[in-house]
Amino acid sequence: MKHVLLAVSGPSGVGKGTMVKTIIQRRSDVVESVSCTTRPPREGEVHGKHYFFLSHEEFERRIQEDDFLEYDKHFGNYYGTPKSFVRNTLKTKSVIMEIDVVGALNAKKSFPECKLVMVVPPSVDELKRRLSGRGSETEEQIQGRLARMEYELSHKDQYDYIIVNDDLEKAIADLCKIIDGE
Ligand code: 5GP
């Protein structure tokens, strides 16, 4: 069977993380991609499992060597998907990366076989209500989240597949079908 690289995106709160984690627990032929980062490990994070923790210099050297499928800076630190990890893993398993729209589109540019999957909510209004109603955030943070959501959804047309997460088990089955059908 052919193994595939999938980039899964979607607005925060849509349930994509749960879908990906569940599939990885259930299937031994699918793994989650391990990214490189220059941020320091948080308590409990393991090198090679949660991230490959690299120095700034090492990360920049690997950029020069074209070792990233895509990379970006968040909060002053580099984050990137290592080509070497993806290529090696694809020999025996399919690889899923959970990644934002910018990262997914960059990954597709450098690795056109990568399939882009966007998970969308059944109702945008409902997700808006959920994002607004957490209670712990300032109005500015809420507006930021909503703008981010609009931004993610506005790139739907550039994706290969759209999954509506109405029923979690059905959404998981849809994602499995994409893995098996590719
Ligand atoms: P954290 O430091 O909380 O683990 O992640 C910070 C941000 O970096 C999150 O938005 C996460 O999605 C993003 N991120 C993690 N790995 C990668 C990656 O390989 N590439 C890109 N572009 N972003 C990543």
Side-chain angles (χ1 to χ4, degrees):
M1 178 177 250
K2 196 171 169 300
H3 303 291
V4 289
L5 174 64
L6 291 188
V8 178
S9 314
S12 148
V14 78
K16 58 186 186 300
T18 309
M19 290 166 59
V20 171
K21 301 273 169 317
T22 307
I23 290 178
I24 281 159
Q25 274 169 11
R26 288 183 190 169
R27 294 182 57 151
S28 59
D29 61 337
V30 185
V31 295
E32 192 162 11
S33 164
V34 180
S35 297
C36 297
T37 182
T38 56
R39 84 149 161 76
R42 294 186 189 127
E43 198 168 326
E45 283 184 336
V46 178
H47 180 81
K49 181 170 179 221
H50 298 95
Y51 281 105
F52 296 105
F53 296 97
L54 306 182
S55 68
H56 226 75
E57 294 70 34
E58 169 80 359
F59 201 105
E60 289 186 337
R61 188 180 61 72
R62 288 177 63 167
I63 294 174
Q64 296 306 322
E65 290 174 354
D66 194 28
D67 188 35
F68 292 109
L69 215 61
E70 60 74 41
Y71 69 92
D72 206 349
K73 253 187 174 175
H74 300 283
F75 321 109
N77 281 304
Y78 283 119
Y79 291 81
T81 310
K83 276 186 188 165
S84 42
F85 173 88
V86 171
R87 287 238 169 82
N88 285 331
T89 311
L90 280 176
K91 289 178 191 159
T92 53
K93 291 165 198 273
S94 287
V95 179
I96 303 187
M97 42 186 191
E98 219 192 298
I99 195 160
D100 68 7
V101 165
V102 176
L105 296 175
N106 283 336
K108 181 91 170 178
K109 256 187 236 151
S110 60
F111 196 87
E113 307 93 297
C114 175
K115 296 295 166 192
L116 307 188
V117 182
M118 183 172 287
V119 183
V120 300
S123 145
V124 172
D125 286 344
E126 172 55 29
L127 189 64
K128 270 190 186 167
R129 267 195 296 279
R130 254 192 274 160
L131 289 180
S132 312
R134 291 183 179 177
S136 55
E137 286 155 326
T138 64
E139 186 57 29
E140 200 184 340
Q141 285 169 322
I142 292 169
Q143 289 310 320
R145 273 179 183 281
L146 295 180
R148 181 88 209 152
M149 179 179 87
E150 302 282 354
Y151 176 79
E152 297 263 327
L153 293 176
S154 73
H155 287 79
K156 263 199 335 235
D157 295 350
Q158 286 159 277
Y159 274 66
D160 299 298
Y161 301 94
I162 305 292
I163 295 179
V164 181
N165 186 7
D166 196 356
D167 168 326
L168 181 63
E169 277 304 327
K170 181 167 180 310
I172 290 171
D174 287 345
L175 193 50
C176 284
K177 261 188 234 156
I178 295 170
I179 296 169
D180 296 329
E182 278 295 339

